[in-house]
Amino acid sequence: MDIVADYTAESRELLEQAEGDLLSLERMGENADPDIIHRLFRTIHSIKGGAAFLGFHNINELAHALESLLSQMRNHEISSTREVMDLLLEGTDRVRHMIHNIHDSNTENLGSLPKRILTLVGSEDTPAQTPAPTQAMTQPPVQSPAQSTQPITPPANQGASTLMQIAGLSVSREALTQVNSRHQNIYLLTYDLTHLPGGETPAGLTAKLSREGVILSGGLNLEGRRLEDGVPQGALPAQVLVASWLLPDFMEVLSRLPSENIQRVGQLEDLLNQPAQSVAQSPAPIVPPAVQPVAPPVAPPSAAPAGYIQGPDQTEAHIRADFSAEGGHIAAATSQENATPTAIDAATHMMAKAEASDTIRINITVIDKLMRLAAELVLLRNQFIRWADHTDPVSRHLSHGLDIVTSEIQEGVMATRMQPVGNLLGKFPRVVRDLSRSLGKEIEIEMLGREVEMDKALVDALNGPMTHLVRNACDHGLETPQERVRAGKPPVGRLLLHAFHEGGQINLVIKDDGRGIDTAAVRRRALERGLKTESDLNDMSEEEIHSLIFLPGFSTAQRVTDVSGRGVGMDVVRTTVNELGGHVEIHSVQGKGSTITLKLPLTLAIIPCLIVKSGEQRYAVPQVNVEELVAVGIDAKSQNIEFAGDREVYRLRNRLLPIVRLNDVLAQPETFSPETRRQIMERHRLEDGTTLGGHVVVMKFGTKRLGMMVDRIQGMEEIVVKPVHPALKHLPCYSGATVMGDGQVALILDVPGVAKHTGVSAHMDDLVDQAQAQSSQKDQRENVLLFANGPQEQFAMPLSLIKRVERIERKDIERVGEREFITIDGVSTQIIRLDQYLNVSPPVGEAEELFLILPKLIRRSLGVLATQVIDIEDASLKLNVDSHLEDGLMGSSILRGRMTLFLDIHRMADRSQASLQYYSGIQAPTNTAVAPGRKVLVVEDSAFFRNIVRDLLTQNGLEVETAGDGQDALRAMDKNRYDLIVSDLQMPVMNGFDLARNVRARKAEVPMIALSSLDSDRDIQAAKEAGFNHYHVKLDKKALLGLVKQVLEAAHPEDFSGAQASSAAAATAPQAWM
Amino acid sequence: MANALQTTEGKKSLSIRQTGSLLASGRPVIQFCTFWLANRLFGVDILDVREINQEQKATPVFHAPPEVRGYVNIRGQVLLALDLRVMLGFPPNQDATNTRLVVFKPEVGESFGVVVDRVGDIVEATAEQIEEREVLGEEFQISQGKELILGECKLTDKLVILLNPSKFLSYLDKE
């Protein structure tokens, strides 16, 4: 066990949190939140304690200075001025630096920093000098065998005279005087650092001890390291001097040490009353013989540590049992001692919570190995399933089981690699703060979607590009306050970092409301640098011109600053993102701001691919690049493929799609010249001017599209990506290889590479029907799949939400209880029959062949059953979203002259998870208008319940807005006025109780209903005290509606007295399409 | 058949890739893994060989140089198979019944192997039997791949042309 590594890892985490706290503290200015100061104090304190424990005296010294400053802030003796904040930030930065280079930390020259901090704290605390600097310079921290104990001294003020020797450890008198007088008992604890009891970590231990006392000093006992004693290298005894209020028995429980390792060395009061010098010179009265503290009397000192530490397991087990049994007592004792709960208790409580964390640290190489093995397992599973005899029930059962377990293992292992994007974004508030200072700008940063998870490798790799983009936005994008005011904008610039999932990808958006990209300047620069010719530029859309900033050697900055503008950044951003399998999109409006979107795959190791065939060879096309599949008159002459210039094009819903044939791509090693393209085109042109059709994969890359005709389409498969062999890296058309289920290798096609190889470039867009493209931008249009289930309704789903449509046979459907499943790609997929979830007609008759629409972005495998796939239609997404919309529908629209229902596939997925019966129970419409037009805010963290409540209330004529937690709700209340708030109690970020308190603190009179599954009298009482007017147990719909009605009636009697006919009629109108 | 041959590595032996020369390796006896190509016997330092596999169906890589036979899957690992006949300028092999894939250690080059007509014995040679010289041309009728050849080894009953596998991958770049 590497204790130092543990300490540094934990300290880094603590510091990360501290930085966020510091920044929010700074934002608060004078009205600093005491909780945050406390948290900071505890953080720094823990770091200090650990440093003292391990002998990192520089960290200890600096942390101590910071702690003193924070302590004064806590006591309101000093306010968080800019100077204070700067010093705190500088100090924590320095501590972080030392933590990063922990083994050099003791030789680090802190300069005047601690002194400057302490000067701020007040003159009486200023240290005359840092302790023993010369000695520190020459001594490595832990390993030094030179001394038996290496004292760690908190900075002393008046030189050596105040240093006291207690049990062989030096303690500054000043530190003693600061100890709370209730910590009367001074203990010397001896730990073996290589075997901390109960797998405790040093930082955990420090935190624990600090909770019940104060760590005065610590040191390593290295005497037992002599070889002639024959002691194995094992034990590494460390001594800690603690002042605590705990009595010895409790100290035993807390420290988990056997009693012989706990020595009570005196009373705080006695020590303080002793003249400093006499203590320093004659430690004898308090200190037991120097070698004894560790050892039971008989054993030689060196042997002792090993002895007791590997001692009887029984003892340890016993202690552990005691600890859990006594834990309650300790807590009880604490609260008795300190009857009024103070902020310290809150902080302590928080620490305790943090400590009971249910996470462990795992080396990434272990995970990588698991990842590889899981990938191999998937392949073995695929091979096995292929080989297994599916007519044999036992074999089928086994392969089904293997299938499920393998998928889950794979998912589980993948999940271990996932990290919240917050880890990547966390540093940016600080970056932006520092930048805005140095640039003289005011910038407010907002971050959304910190919880979105992505592969650790991606998080690591994106650090550079994201930093560059943020810096760029601050430097070039956002203007100075004066410029902004002149442009009629608020002086504070806004920067938004937003992470979210879309289309099986992760989107990272960097958006600013700055000056935007100056198209003319980009054009000028491109000409100047000879990157593009005048005629090139004239052919380019604005967006394409903006994309030029990603070319190597391009920089539009008027001046080169140290922040950005070295002209090496943006192309590196794009290259990095491309290497990660993603791409960059830019959208900018001059004067309004820029939005840069990075689109990235969820993970790098396994990607879903479409497998296509050219002759006997299989090729994988990453699903992110596949837009749709089109069958163009298979093996027959096609009228739809036209010849334009030197290539074939296909008119796909009024957009011309360039077509290449995979066979031609593979047969031609050189990049296509116009001449090759013409030759190929002529080869395929038949006498009558038509050409043979085939399967076309519509592939997209960036904003462009390319149709690739292939011999066969085999299907989708999740594949494990293996890198291209380095000797073949120069081939543009491949991005990797993979082993297929039958053990053969298949190549992964690189779509942008194929496009480049075949010469499909920006110019192709000239062929696009511009008018069509523009009109579709104006009024949000999208391609939707039209399909039918029963005879009466036509359904639609946006293509962007569909993974693909699978043809299935009725006989393959298996029933499991209430639900139906079918195996697709070896994965058990739940079937959703629309007539079971919506009030729509069931299919007529029993067709053998059915369609299963597999949606994207749904974690669970499920598919919507359709009896007929009608067509793909370009439809406006302006839907009719009447308030009486059924749960599971997005809206309706008239397509091809028929009322068409747009499915809300995510709702359907949510609903399919809950039992069907349950739903049929609550689905009974309760259409009684309550108080039409009144505005209700529904606060609930579970999307599931939120939607139920929302739908229930909207169905009854109320206007409903929703919020995901208390803070969200408060923000909504800043913008709108509500007539009623219905809130859950248990929520992340800000719970219902706090929300109510906040609402009431704002003197808002709005009635509030608590909606919770907690139903003890105590909770009800607590909710009332927090400010809720009513309490309602979740999911009794009728009663909730009654209560809402009653509350609103009391508040607005006028709604109920008379005319409510019109809106009530709308609310109760029969649902038109049924 | 997967591990028809696993080499054992002597602790102090140096291989050709460490010294650039067989003779400079200082080994009194050098073992060679031999194989046949177009009726000529070739040998590579046994310390460079990871294993010999029955040749598997390689997945062709279009656009790659002709020396690349394709990708093969050896126990989940994707390897690049090179065609040594093409590299040395021999005509394609008509009889594939005994072809094998000689896979080299990662130190020699990243995940690759060469396809040979059939494998021969493991032979031992002393430094005196090895001659590092150019053997291209008339004598063996090898028209290309000069830089791949180290020299020859004269055994009592046969002659082995010695190859340097650490040059194989870089040979692909020469065009």
Side-chain angles (χ1 to χ4, degrees):
Chain A
M1 171 172 100
D2 189 349
I3 345 148
V4 177
D6 274 356
Y7 167 70
T8 53
E10 289 188 25
S11 300
R12 268 181 235 190
E13 276 170 23
L14 286 170
L15 284 166
E16 208 160 290
Q17 183 202 332
E19 182 160 296
D21 285 347
L22 281 170
L23 292 175
S24 39
L25 211 56
E26 183 173 39
R27 268 199 304 283
M28 295 173 192
E30 292 294 307
N31 313 316
D33 180 348
D35 286 351
I36 293 185
I37 300 182
H38 280 302
R39 192 157 67 208
L40 271 169
F41 181 84
R42 303 304 305 195
T43 302
I44 299 294
H45 187 78
S46 293
I47 291 171
K48 179 182 113 165
F53 195 93
L54 293 167
F56 299 120
H57 58 75
N58 262 342
I59 297 177
N60 180 38
E61 180 190 348
L62 188 54
H64 175 77
L66 290 169
E67 191 189 80
S68 311
L69 186 58
L70 284 164
S71 144
Q72 290 213 340
M73 287 172 75
R74 190 172 61 174
N75 302 335
H76 303 291
E77 290 160 25
I78 199 166
S79 60
S80 47
T81 58
R82 200 163 179 159
E83 190 189 3
V84 170
M85 292 315 300
D86 280 348
L87 271 176
L88 281 174
L89 280 167
E90 190 184 343
T92 44
D93 276 356
R94 209 50 193 278
V95 170
R96 180 181 307 113
H97 175 77
M98 289 193 283
I99 299 271
H100 272 282
N101 307 293
I102 192 78
H103 289 295
D104 298 325
S105 77
N106 278 359
T107 54
E108 173 105 7
N109 183 2
L110 290 178
S112 62
L113 185 58
K115 205 166 160 186
R116 276 190 287 143
I117 297 174
L118 289 173
T119 315
L120 215 61
V121 171
S123 52
E124 77 279 5
D125 205 33
T126 314
Q129 58 172 99
T130 53
T134 42
Q135 193 189 355
M137 292 294 184
T138 53
Q139 252 176 23
V142 180
Q143 296 85 343
S144 164
Q147 269 184 306
S148 67
T149 23
Q150 212 181 349
I152 293 103
T153 50
N157 37 12
Q158 287 123 40
S161 67
T162 56
L163 276 186
M164 306 172 73
Q165 289 293 122
I166 305 171
L169 296 168
S170 10
V171 180
S172 88
R173 194 181 165 74
E174 179 251 339
L176 272 185
T177 54
Q178 286 188 355
V179 173
N180 186 321
S181 60
R182 73 192 175 107
H183 298 311
Q184 272 302 325
N185 304 313
I186 313 266
Y187 295 98
L188 180 70
L189 309 178
T190 307
Y191 281 96
D192 176 5
L193 286 186
T194 59
H195 286 87
L196 287 174
E200 191 71 81
T201 63
L205 207 64
T206 317
K208 213 154 80 178
L209 291 174
S210 305
R211 233 185 301 149
E212 309 300 342
V214 173
I215 297 178
L216 297 170
S217 182
L220 293 174
N221 183 347
L222 298 163
E223 199 170 69
R225 294 256 145 170
R226 285 195 307 265
L227 278 175
E228 61 263 34
D229 291 334
V231 180
Q233 16 330 37
L236 182 57
Q239 298 179 319
V240 188
L241 199 62
V242 196
S244 171
W245 68 278
L246 290 176
L247 293 171
D249 285 0
F250 286 118
M251 186 44 94
E252 219 173 289
V253 173
L254 177 76
S255 64
R256 300 204 193 173
L257 285 173
S259 57
E260 62 265 30
N261 287 359
I262 300 175
Q263 274 213 318
R264 198 161 150 204
V265 294
Q267 289 276 330
L268 180 67
E269 212 170 308
D270 299 344
L271 289 176
L272 285 172
N273 291 340
Q274 257 157 11
Q277 287 207 320
S278 77
V279 175
Q281 280 161 7
S282 60
I286 335 153
V287 180
V291 288
Q292 286 297 16
V294 190
V298 270
S302 45
Y308 69 73
I309 276 145
Q310 273 122 30
D313 284 334
Q314 245 184 338
T315 324
E316 207 183 298
H318 172 70
I319 291 172
R320 211 172 290 160
D322 269 358
F323 186 58
S324 50
E326 303 275 346
H329 292 249
I330 296 183
T334 320
S335 53
Q336 258 171 18
E337 171 109 3
N338 207 351
T340 47
T342 63
I344 294 200
D345 284 345
T348 309
H349 178 66
M350 215 184 60
M351 291 288 287
K353 257 206 294 201
E355 229 181 314
S357 132
D358 49 0
T359 57
I360 53 166
R361 241 180 274 280
I362 303 177
N363 191 318
I364 191 75
T365 54
V366 176
I367 297 198
D368 283 344
K369 186 171 174 200
L370 280 176
M371 187 79 180
R372 254 196 335 272
L373 290 172
E376 298 307 336
L377 183 61
V378 170
L379 292 176
L380 280 175
R381 184 247 345 237
N382 294 351
Q383 286 174 28
F384 179 79
I385 287 177
R386 212 165 289 236
W387 170 84
D389 176 8
H390 291 282
T391 55
D392 175 36
V394 178
S395 157
R396 200 171 56 215
H397 177 74
L398 286 177
S399 56
H400 190 65
L402 176 68
D403 182 18
I404 289 170
V405 174
T406 307
S407 301
E408 289 194 3
I409 285 184
Q410 189 193 359
E411 266 176 41
V413 175
M414 300 277 278
T416 60
R417 287 183 57 91
M418 298 308 256
Q419 288 201 319
V421 175
N423 288 6
L424 173 67
L425 302 184
K427 65 169 192 168
F428 288 116
R430 176 68 190 277
V431 169
V432 168
R433 171 200 179 270
D434 289 354
L435 276 177
S436 57
R437 286 243 178 133
S438 69
L439 295 166
K441 295 179 181 177
E442 287 181 45
I443 302 171
E444 195 181 295
I445 181 168
E446 191 184 345
M447 296 192 287
L448 293 173
R450 298 175 63 122
E451 70 290 343
V452 170
E453 290 193 321
M454 64 201 281
D455 196 290
K456 178 178 161 40
L458 279 172
V459 170
D460 293 345
L462 284 174
N463 190 21
M466 282 298 286
T467 309
H468 185 84
L469 291 173
V470 167
R471 284 171 153 260
N472 226 36
C474 293
D475 194 16
H476 304 322
L478 292 162
E479 314 91 329
T480 60
Q482 300 82 339
E483 284 174 311
R484 291 184 63 89
V485 169
R486 241 178 285 140
K489 299 186 196 176
V492 180
R494 291 175 54 83
L495 182 65
L496 171 73
L497 304 182
H498 186 186
F500 60 96
H501 288 278
E502 188 190 76
Q505 285 181 302
I506 289 181
N507 289 21
L508 274 172
V509 176
I510 299 101
K511 182 176 182 178
D512 65 62
D513 67 345
R515 56 173 76 97
I517 294 175
D518 183 349
T519 313
V522 174
R523 284 183 68 117
R524 262 201 314 280
R525 179 63 59 101
L527 283 174
E528 259 168 50
R529 302 260 156 132
L531 299 168
K532 285 279 176 275
T533 65
E534 186 78 47
S535 70
D536 283 347
L537 289 169
N538 289 338
D539 285 349
M540 291 168 84
S541 70
E542 191 157 355
E543 204 140 307
E544 279 169 343
I545 293 179
H546 291 164
S547 302
L548 294 177
I549 64 168
F550 290 114
L551 289 179
F554 192 96
S555 173
T556 54
Q558 295 297 319
R559 68 215 146 80
V560 171
T561 63
D562 64 342
V563 174
S564 61
R566 289 170 303 272
V568 291
M570 290 305 256
D571 67 308
V572 175
V573 169
R574 185 162 71 173
T575 316
T576 315
V577 172
N578 287 351
E579 274 169 8
L580 296 171
H583 65 269
V584 184
E585 285 172 12
I586 189 161
H587 178 76
S588 178
V589 180
Q590 203 159 343
K592 293 266 196 269
S594 309
T595 305
I596 294 179
T597 308
L598 311 186
K599 289 181 181 270
L600 294 149
L602 289 173
T603 177
L604 300 176
I606 298 188
I607 56 171
C609 278
L610 178 74
I611 310 296
V612 299
K613 280 183 117 174
S614 161
E616 276 314 295
Q617 294 304 323
R618 284 164 296 186
Y619 292 87
V621 185
Q623 187 189 293
V624 292
N625 292 118
V626 178
E627 200 162 71
E628 62 181 297
L629 302 178
V630 184
V632 185
I634 310 284
D635 297 331
K637 287 179 187 177
S638 169
Q639 307 290 343
N640 295 328
I641 294 182
E642 299 160 36
F643 298 90
D646 53 12
R647 66 170 72 242
E648 294 167 83
V649 291
Y650 173 64
R651 190 172 287 276
L652 178 64
R653 291 185 295 279
N654 280 332
R655 281 177 68 116
L656 291 180
L657 184 73
I659 297 282
V660 296
R661 286 159 207 260
L662 181 55
N663 296 346
D664 294 334
V665 175
L666 296 172
Q668 171 79 26
E670 294 85 31
T671 306
F672 286 19
S673 65
E675 179 55 26
T676 15
R677 280 201 296 270
R678 206 189 47 76
Q679 280 172 4
I680 290 170
M681 184 184 79
E682 290 307 326
R683 197 163 66 234
H684 295 302
R685 194 203 290 263
L686 303 174
E687 281 131 19
D688 57 358
T690 62
T691 185
L692 283 180
H695 299 275
V696 174
V697 183
V698 181
M699 311 190 294
K700 60 170 185 226
F701 53 105
T703 56
K704 302 187 190 74
R705 299 192 305 164
L706 169 67
M708 184 170 76
M709 207 183 279
V710 299
D711 292 346
R712 269 186 61 199
I713 287 171
Q714 187 165 312
M716 297 300 293
E717 221 164 291
E718 301 248 299
I719 62 160
V720 181
V721 179
K722 312 254 175 185
V724 175
H725 192 279
L728 303 180
K729 275 246 158 73
H730 60 281
L731 303 180
C733 292
Y734 310 110
S735 60
T738 187
V739 178
M740 303 296 291
D742 62 359
Q744 278 291 301
V745 179
L747 289 153
I748 304 168
L749 292 179
D750 183 69
V751 173
V754 170
K756 208 172 147 202
H757 188 76
T758 55
V760 174
S761 66
H763 293 293
M764 281 314 296
D765 290 359
D766 300 346
L767 295 168
V768 173
D769 188 341
Q770 293 285 352
Q772 179 71 24
Q774 270 163 15
S775 77
S776 73
Q777 268 170 10
K778 258 183 216 147
D779 129 59
Q780 290 243 312
R781 297 184 77 81
E782 226 186 295
N783 288 325
V784 298
L785 179 77
L786 294 181
F787 60 97
N789 182 44
Q792 295 177 20
E793 303 84 8
Q794 176 166 287
F795 294 95
M797 242 179 99
L799 276 191
S800 57
L801 295 178
I802 298 175
K803 192 159 34 168
R804 67 178 201 272
V805 179
E806 187 86 4
R807 211 182 280 260
I808 60 168
E809 286 183 40
R810 181 176 301 275
K811 65 175 168 52
D812 294 332
I813 299 178
E814 295 173 65
R815 278 192 83 84
V816 181
E818 292 274 290
R819 308 182 187 190
E820 290 175 301
F821 291 89
I822 189 162
T823 306
I824 307 263
D825 302 338
V827 176
S828 198
T829 304
Q830 191 188 343
I831 292 175
I832 294 187
R833 287 177 182 269
L834 292 174
D835 46 296
Q836 284 176 359
Y837 290 91
L838 300 168
N839 193 358
V840 297
S841 58
V844 184
E846 292 278 296
E848 274 317 307
E849 207 180 58
L850 299 163
F851 298 91
L852 199 62
I853 301 166
L854 302 170
K856 273 183 188 170
L857 292 178
I858 306 270
R859 232 168 232 275
R860 254 158 5 95
S861 293
L862 56 83
V864 174
L865 196 71
T867 50
Q868 188 196 353
V869 169
I870 301 168
D871 204 349
I872 290 170
E873 176 88 21
D874 182 39
S876 163
L877 286 190
K878 268 194 195 142
L879 300 181
N880 175 10
V881 277
D882 286 343
S883 57
H884 49 270
L885 202 60
E886 215 180 336
D887 189 17
L889 293 177
M890 293 199 291
S892 61
S893 178
I894 305 286
L895 289 178
R896 300 195 165 184
R898 284 189 68 186
M899 167 71 88
T900 306
L901 304 181
F902 280 68
L903 283 189
D904 179 348
I905 190 62
H906 292 97
R907 272 305 292 149
M908 295 299 287
D910 281 353
R911 292 187 47 186
S912 71
Q913 210 153 7
S915 98
L916 293 170
Q917 263 178 348
Y918 171 75
Y919 264 101
S920 50
I922 68 158
Q923 204 45 46
T926 36
N927 288 333
T928 46
V930 170
R934 289 288 167 195
K935 250 183 152 165
V936 182
L937 180 63
V938 174
V939 192
E940 164 70 67
D941 57 324
S942 138
F944 173 73
F945 283 114
R946 193 165 60 223
N947 290 344
I948 290 185
V949 177
R950 182 197 62 198
D951 296 350
L952 172 71
L953 297 181
T954 41
Q955 275 168 22
N956 288 283
L958 291 163
E959 208 173 302
V960 178
E961 283 180 27
T962 57
D965 61 62
Q967 246 169 36
D968 232 19
L970 289 176
R971 272 196 292 274
M973 287 182 69
D974 287 338
K975 291 181 202 130
N976 285 307
R977 218 189 54 80
Y978 298 97
D979 299 302
L980 173 67
I981 295 175
V982 179
S983 172
D984 185 17
L985 290 177
Q986 302 299 314
M987 290 179 292
V989 190
M990 183 190 279
N991 64 29
F993 299 108
D994 287 340
L995 169 65
R997 281 185 211 110
N998 270 293
V999 169
R1000 297 310 177 211
R1002 292 170 169 205
K1003 303 269 178 266
E1005 301 272 307
V1006 53
M1008 294 181 76
I1009 298 177
L1011 194 60
S1012 177
S1013 43
L1014 307 172
D1015 62 349
S1016 73
D1017 290 345
R1018 218 185 58 212
D1019 292 315
I1020 296 176
Q1021 193 53 35
K1024 289 236 158 110
E1025 275 166 21
F1028 282 102
N1029 309 79
H1030 301 275
Y1031 196 95
H1032 188 82
V1033 177
K1034 263 182 191 173
L1035 274 182
D1036 183 350
K1037 276 192 10 166
K1038 262 200 182 128
L1040 174 62
L1041 213 54
L1043 181 58
V1044 167
K1045 187 172 175 175
Q1046 178 199 327
V1047 171
L1048 287 174
E1049 194 167 19
H1052 311 280
E1054 70 277 9
D1055 285 1
F1056 293 84
S1057 54
Q1060 46 166 294
S1062 61
S1063 26
T1068 50
Q1071 293 174 332
W1073 57 77
M1074 285 174 195
Chain B
M1 201 58 206
N3 292 319
L5 181 145
Q6 283 281 1
T7 60
T8 49
E9 192 160 5
K11 266 184 194 155
K12 285 181 185 132
S13 310
L14 291 171
S15 71
I16 152 89
R17 75 196 115 78
Q18 289 157 299
T19 59
S21 156
L22 276 169
L23 297 176
S25 67
R27 287 183 282 164
V29 176
I30 300 175
Q31 288 186 310
F32 293 103
C33 167
T34 66
F35 47 80
W36 294 89
L37 275 175
N39 294 319
R40 298 160 185 84
L41 189 60
F42 290 87
V44 290
D45 188 344
I46 204 161
L47 295 184
D48 287 341
V49 177
R50 191 183 88 185
E51 63 184 75
I52 294 174
N53 278 80
Q54 188 138 35
E55 195 218 343
Q56 310 208 351
K57 212 174 126 201
T59 300
V61 181
F62 289 96
H63 303 180
E67 291 85 355
V68 172
R69 181 66 80 90
Y71 281 122
V72 291
N73 163 28
I74 305 286
R75 297 189 302 280
Q77 199 195 352
V78 174
L79 301 179
L80 192 65
L82 304 183
D83 193 328
L84 208 45
R85 269 182 173 255
V86 177
M87 292 165 81
L88 294 168
F90 300 138
N93 185 19
Q94 300 303 323
D95 173 22
T97 45
N98 290 313
T99 52
R100 292 288 183 276
L101 183 69
V102 179
V103 179
F104 295 100
K105 289 183 182 167
E107 303 93 286
V108 180
E110 192 167 317
S111 351
F112 85 106
V114 292
V115 179
V116 301
D117 293 358
R118 63 186 168 93
V119 287
D121 301 326
I122 291 168
V123 301
E124 292 189 352
T126 57
E128 294 78 58
Q129 293 171 296
I130 295 169
E131 195 180 344
E132 294 187 346
R133 66 175 181 97
E134 206 170 283
V135 290
L136 215 62
E138 282 301 297
E139 194 179 349
F140 297 100
Q141 294 173 327
I142 298 174
S143 57
Q144 50 175 292
K146 180 177 136 186
E147 55 271 57
L148 307 178
I149 298 168
L150 274 173
E152 60 177 330
C153 170
K154 289 196 181 84
L155 300 172
T156 46
D157 54 341
K158 58 198 159 200
L159 199 98
V160 183
I161 306 166
L162 304 177
L163 298 175
N164 182 358
S166 51
K167 299 271 189 197
F168 287 2
L169 279 177
S170 54
Y171 188 76
L172 296 182
D173 297 333
K174 79 186 180 82
E175 278 102 336

